[in-house]
Amino acid sequence: MQEKEIVALPVGITLDRFISSNQDSFPHATGELSQLLRDIALASKIVNREIVRAGLADIAGGADSTNVQGEAQQKLDVIADIRFTRALINGGQVAGLVSEEQEAIIDTGKWDAKYVVAMDPLDGSSNIDVNVPVGTIFSIYKRISAVGTKVTNEDFLQGGRKQVAAGYILYGASMILVYTTGKGVNGFTYEYTLGDFILSHKQIKTPSKGIYYSCNESNSNTFTSTLTNFIQYCKSRHLNARYAGSLVCDFHRNLLKGGIYLYPCTVKAPNGKLRLLYECYPMAFISEQAGAISTNGSTDILDADVTAIHSRSCLYAGSVSLMKELEGMITAGVPM
Ligand code: AHG
Ligand code: MN
Ligand code: MN
């Protein structure tokens, strides 16, 4: 089949049309992944509807429960989890799900589906109460267990390089969906009056020289000397510090403007705080597709081994020049 040129699609077309054109460029595509992406887009609209009225309805604040990570759940964590899970089960294209909010794999019962999804339904949820942007992160794999059977752990533990698609939704001043299927990264801004996502950020490329560094410097008294030196380097180069505390928000800024995101292993979180499967891998796939780099301090995130569905990792991601500088310091100094 003749490959269609996705790059030629104009800014202003709907997500739906973009997905269909994208599908045509994959020989033997059946439309299942396309439908799955549409289901994610639908769920994000529903979650966005809840988020924009969080201050009015009684859905801000804590849910008096903890998730598998032992972290306090916010009401919207639970709501977003339910909305995405329901949309993906009803959509019928997903045989199993992993969610930050659920300890075990979710068996959707749709065993004939060939995809599995790992997701962080609501990222940065501690920011909800103060109206700071939050997000959703997703990662899609083709299952390796036989179609027609129940999904297994191994379906989710294939490694970052096996991702078929990955993306995030940023619920910000406007809602934007950014995703990749391995043919570049594109962003779609939600047009409220149309109820549609519109291609607004075509073939995103991260500037190789970054202008921002983003990390939680309140942990700096436990940073390694290498990391301390690197932060000093950022300051000496007059990079601006920007840190919202929502990965999606911080990552998105640096993806577009250039910069570096750092979440090291800390005393509080010795194995890192972020989750490999549904935070680091998808952001790493997007980084690579946008011409940026991501590592855990020693290995490209996409090549880092995942041993459990809720494994954590350190994450350093961003513009090539800053990442090269960081890598040079790591090689010369103490490990991170
Ligand atoms: P989540 O809300 O899904 O648990 O994720 C929170 C994560 C991530 O969004 C953010 O970058 C990081 O936690 C912030 O951590 P600190 O508050 O330790 O800086
Ligand atoms: Mn998160
Ligand atoms: Mn979350």
Side-chain angles (χ1 to χ4, degrees):
M1 183 193 279
Q2 184 71 34
E3 279 227 344
K4 262 196 198 166
E5 188 55 82
I6 295 179
V7 179
L9 293 170
V11 163
I13 70 162
T14 65
L15 174 64
D16 205 46
R17 248 194 93 189
F18 184 91
I19 288 173
S20 302
S21 305
N22 203 352
Q23 180 189 321
D24 292 348
S25 75
F26 285 95
H28 316 300
T30 58
E32 290 156 281
L33 178 62
S34 297
Q35 187 52 45
L36 171 47
L37 291 167
R38 290 188 188 99
D39 295 338
I40 289 172
L42 172 65
S44 74
K45 292 182 197 177
I46 297 168
V47 168
N48 185 60
R49 190 183 63 193
E50 310 280 10
I51 287 171
V52 295
R53 60 191 194 94
L56 300 171
D58 183 29
I59 52 174
D64 295 328
S65 54
T66 52
N67 65 14
V68 59
Q69 336 279 344
E71 297 157 342
Q73 283 180 310
Q74 303 297 302
K75 288 179 191 162
L76 271 162
D77 280 325
V78 179
I79 290 170
D81 186 42
I82 292 170
R83 293 303 196 184
F84 270 92
T85 302
R86 197 181 288 165
L88 292 177
I89 291 177
N90 291 342
Q93 306 302 338
V94 181
L97 282 166
V98 159
S99 164
E100 181 191 9
E101 304 305 328
Q102 310 269 345
E103 181 162 11
I105 292 171
I106 302 161
D107 177 2
T108 62
K110 313 284 181 184
W111 293 0
D112 287 337
K114 63 181 181 208
Y115 293 104
V116 297
V117 173
M119 63 178 178
D120 178 355
L122 201 71
D123 172 68
S125 56
S126 66
N127 278 326
I128 270 288
D129 288 357
V130 288
N131 216 352
V132 170
V134 292
T136 295
I137 313 172
F138 62 90
S139 167
I140 303 174
Y141 295 85
K142 209 173 253 185
R143 62 188 294 186
I144 50 177
S145 57
V147 169
T149 64
K150 197 173 167 173
V151 289
T152 65
N153 249 29
E154 283 60 46
D155 290 322
F156 294 92
L157 304 181
Q158 299 182 46
R161 296 266 171 218
K162 295 288 185 183
Q163 291 176 101
V164 171
Y168 60 79
I169 298 105
L170 173 60
Y171 308 100
S174 60
M175 172 164 62
I176 182 165
L177 187 157
V178 174
Y179 83 99
T180 183
T181 54
K183 288 173 179 270
V185 182
N186 293 282
F188 301 80
T189 302
Y190 186 58
E191 218 295 354
Y192 287 82
T193 57
L194 299 175
D196 247 330
F197 282 102
I198 308 290
L199 179 60
S200 53
H201 296 68
K202 193 177 149 174
Q203 289 292 325
I204 296 169
K205 291 292 170 210
T206 296
S208 65
K209 281 192 169 57
I211 56 172
Y212 296 122
Y213 74 99
S214 307
C215 85
N216 186 342
E217 280 195 84
S218 71
N219 295 319
S220 63
N221 54 349
T222 63
F223 284 175
T224 60
S225 55
T226 302
L227 187 51
T228 304
N229 290 344
F230 180 73
I231 300 289
Q232 199 48 47
Y233 165 83
C234 291
K235 290 174 180 168
S236 71
R237 289 299 172 105
H238 305 294
L239 266 68
N240 267 320
R242 290 283 186 278
Y243 189 74
S246 293
L247 172 63
V248 171
C249 178
D250 289 310
F251 180 89
H252 182 70
R253 178 201 318 107
N254 295 352
L255 182 79
L256 296 186
K257 299 291 184 188
I260 186 166
Y261 178 90
L262 310 110
Y263 209 111
C265 299
T266 63
V267 170
K268 261 187 283 179
N271 299 317
K273 178 178 185 190
L274 301 174
R275 279 51 62 119
L276 191 49
L277 205 55
Y278 41 83
E279 291 182 315
C280 300
Y281 276 164
M283 293 318 201
F285 191 12
I286 292 167
S287 292
E288 189 175 84
Q289 288 291 315
I293 296 177
S294 65
T295 77
N296 60 12
S298 57
T299 310
D300 188 314
I301 287 283
L302 290 173
D303 296 317
D305 288 335
V306 59
T307 51
I309 57 175
H310 295 293
S311 288
R312 294 175 189 265
S313 172
C314 313
L315 176 64
Y316 307 96
S319 296
V320 169
S321 63
L322 289 168
M323 289 298 294
K324 291 282 176 212
E325 187 67 34
L326 177 65
E327 280 168 11
M329 288 188 182
I330 292 172
T331 308
V334 294
M336 303 283 267

